[in-house]
Amino acid sequence: MNITVMWLALAIILFIIEAATVGMVCMWFGIGAVVSMLCSFFITNVYIQWAIFIVAAVVMLVLLRPLAKEAISKNSEKTNVSALIGRTAFLTDDINEESHGRVKLGDISWIAVSSQGETIKKGEKVKIVLVKGNKLVVEKV
């Protein structure tokens, strides 16, 4: 088998694995295989091709993966309870050291606890900072 075809086959396999797992790891090794395939036209030494493959893949994995993950996650929309974080609401029951309060968001009444352990009175505006189980962790606005 021609070494160029081997690099192409390896790249295709790695891209298929990436499509199946979506971990953003195999993609960089697939690109490294493409780089090695292109180098195989000019460099006949297989050991040098493998070195180019490893260096190219690791450099892209370390440098480009964080940028790619950030770009992808920047455009993602929060769903479910994670969409509650950052929203503001009004307390329907007091929060104090001994008991939790309640916050109503839409049609749902949630258990609310203070992020600082402080007392917050009914009717005060709060911001949701965290969702812990079935409780909303809030702070005064």
Side-chain angles (χ1 to χ4, degrees):
M1 176 194 271
N2 185 348
I3 194 72
T4 305
V5 175
M6 189 271 311
W7 286 119
L8 179 62
L10 181 62
I12 290 170
I13 290 168
L14 289 167
F15 288 135
I16 289 171
I17 292 170
E18 179 63 36
T21 61
V22 196
M24 291 189 66
V25 174
C26 292
M27 173 174 61
W28 309 112
F29 286 92
I31 294 170
V34 170
V35 169
S36 292
M37 180 190 74
L38 295 173
C39 289
S40 71
F41 292 119
F42 310 105
I43 301 168
T44 58
N45 188 326
V46 176
Y47 297 113
I48 294 175
Q49 291 176 22
W50 275 102
I52 291 170
F53 166 71
I54 292 168
V55 169
V58 170
V59 166
M60 284 187 280
L61 178 68
V62 171
L63 296 179
L64 298 179
R65 184 175 185 248
L67 297 173
K69 285 189 82 144
E70 182 180 321
I72 289 171
S73 66
K74 188 184 291 185
N75 296 332
S76 66
E77 193 171 316
K78 292 182 178 179
T79 59
N80 299 330
V81 293
S82 64
L84 299 176
I85 297 172
R87 288 184 59 186
T88 56
F90 292 95
L91 282 179
T92 57
D93 288 333
D94 292 348
I95 296 175
N96 56 46
E97 293 178 11
E98 293 88 33
S99 68
H100 53 73
R102 296 198 77 82
V103 171
K104 188 160 187 173
L105 285 169
D107 295 342
I108 303 171
S109 179
W110 292 83
I111 297 171
V113 295
S114 172
S115 64
Q116 306 297 322
E118 62 189 335
T119 299
I120 306 174
K121 298 289 182 193
K122 176 181 177 179
E124 288 195 55
K125 191 173 186 179
V126 294
K127 179 180 176 183
I128 300 163
V129 294
L130 181 69
V131 178
K132 195 181 266 186
N134 66 341
K135 297 177 185 164
L136 300 179
V137 180
V138 298
E139 62 184 23
K140 280 186 190 181
V141 176

